[in-house]
Amino acid sequence: MTQHSRDTPQFYLTAPSPCPYLPGQEERKVFTHLVGDKAAELNDLLTHGGFRRSQSIAYRPACENCRACTSVRVLTAEFTPTRSQRRVIDLNRDLVGEAKASAPTSEQYSAFRAYIDSRHRDGGMADMTVLDYAMMVEDSHVNTQLIEYRVRGMDTSVTGRGEGELIAAALTDRLSDGLSMVYSFYEPEHAARSLGTFMILDHIERAKAMGLPYVYLGYWVAGSRKMDYKRRFQPQERLHPDRWTRIDE
């Protein structure tokens, strides 16, 4: 019988299921567990190879007849917001983002539930309970934070905190070379603020301030309208079979 070290990751392949991005396609994923003392190091390595994290699982598409999913990372040092992105920044100058330990709260779940019900009621997260949400936030063996965005408060100049209601939040991993946005959500009543775009712009500025060259945005899916927004953050690199390739569109 072959013996495997507990530090050696074992990879598994899911059964085919309907693709959530491209009608008529099926998806399969290869995945492994991120546990133990080497979890953060392994998460770094796998993210560089196009994997994403969900709780203590790292996964990557392994579809038999499609290669549309492409990993994307923004080059933070060279990024300059477009005119429309500057408008989004101006629209949200009353918000303060504060990085916190990845601990779930009822306020977060309320915003998460409202977001899912409004934007993704037919998606894979539609049935997530408060316990499922807590697992999504807490079940991590890597360096993870939850950044909360609140309305700017009177004490901001002293403490840097917002005091108002929770407007949005982003679950984010700190990698050796960047920030990886695992999942973000917002109160749908504030959709006019373009909060999804704002949180990406804020993460780019955070990565710059930390001296990190990349913000990882997950997968851009050619032909999927819901993923097309990721093309707007330029310059960026996309992972092709043999290397990351710079894209300037």
Side-chain angles (χ1 to χ4, degrees), residues 108-126:
Q108 292 167 14
Y109 180 71
S110 177
F112 170 81
R113 188 71 261 168
Y115 175 77
I116 293 296
D117 291 343
S118 173
R119 301 295 299 272
H120 302 289
R121 66 182 63 184
D122 297 324
M125 291 182 161

Side-chain angles (χ1 to χ4, degrees), residues 84-132:
S84 63
Q85 289 168 345
R86 289 196 298 270
R87 287 197 293 268
V88 172
I89 293 171
D90 290 339
L91 188 62
N92 292 284
R93 290 200 181 278
D94 61 333
L95 297 187
V96 175
E98 183 180 4
K100 298 192 170 189
S102 53
T105 67
S106 58
E107 190 179 23
Q108 292 167 14
Y109 180 71
S110 177
F112 170 81
R113 188 71 261 168
Y115 175 77
I116 293 296
D117 291 343
S118 173
R119 301 295 299 272
H120 302 289
R121 66 182 63 184
D122 297 324
M125 291 182 161
D127 297 327
M128 284 182 65
T129 66
V130 65
L131 293 178
D132 294 327

Side-chain angles (χ1 to χ4, degrees), residues 190-205:
H190 296 284
R193 288 177 173 267
S194 298
L195 289 165
T197 295
F198 173 71
M199 283 188 278
I200 294 175
L201 294 170
D202 181 68
H203 276 67
I204 293 171
E205 289 305 309

Side-chain angles (χ1 to χ4, degrees), residues 51-190:
F51 280 71
R52 294 284 286 165
R53 185 183 72 81
S54 177
Q55 298 178 203
S56 60
I57 297 291
Y59 67 90
R60 188 184 70 183
C63 308
E64 295 178 2
N65 301 311
C66 180
R67 296 292 183 270
C69 292
T70 304
S71 294
V72 172
R73 63 189 186 186
V74 182
L75 297 166
T76 61
E78 299 179 59
F79 177 82
T80 300
T82 64
R83 181 179 301 177
S84 63
Q85 289 168 345
R86 289 196 298 270
R87 287 197 293 268
V88 172
I89 293 171
D90 290 339
L91 188 62
N92 292 284
R93 290 200 181 278
D94 61 333
L95 297 187
V96 175
E98 183 180 4
K100 298 192 170 189
S102 53
T105 67
S106 58
E107 190 179 23
Q108 292 167 14
Y109 180 71
S110 177
F112 170 81
R113 188 71 261 168
Y115 175 77
I116 293 296
D117 291 343
S118 173
R119 301 295 299 272
H120 302 289
R121 66 182 63 184
D122 297 324
M125 291 182 161
D127 297 327
M128 284 182 65
T129 66
V130 65
L131 293 178
D132 294 327
Y133 173 78
M135 285 293 292
M136 182 178 80
V137 173
E138 289 182 320
D139 189 10
S140 172
H141 296 258
V142 304
N143 187 351
T144 304
Q145 291 184 315
L146 203 144
I147 302 175
E148 293 187 342
Y149 296 88
R150 298 177 182 273
V151 174
R152 189 177 299 275
M154 292 293 292
D155 69 345
T156 298
S157 61
V158 178
T159 67
R161 293 196 298 267
E163 292 183 324
E165 65 174 314
L166 180 68
I167 301 293
L171 188 64
T172 303
D173 289 347
R174 165 73 185 269
L175 306 176
S176 62
D177 64 352
L179 299 178
S180 177
M181 299 184 70
V182 177
Y183 196 77
S184 58
F185 56 91
Y186 55 84
E187 285 283 1
E189 65 185 82
H190 296 284

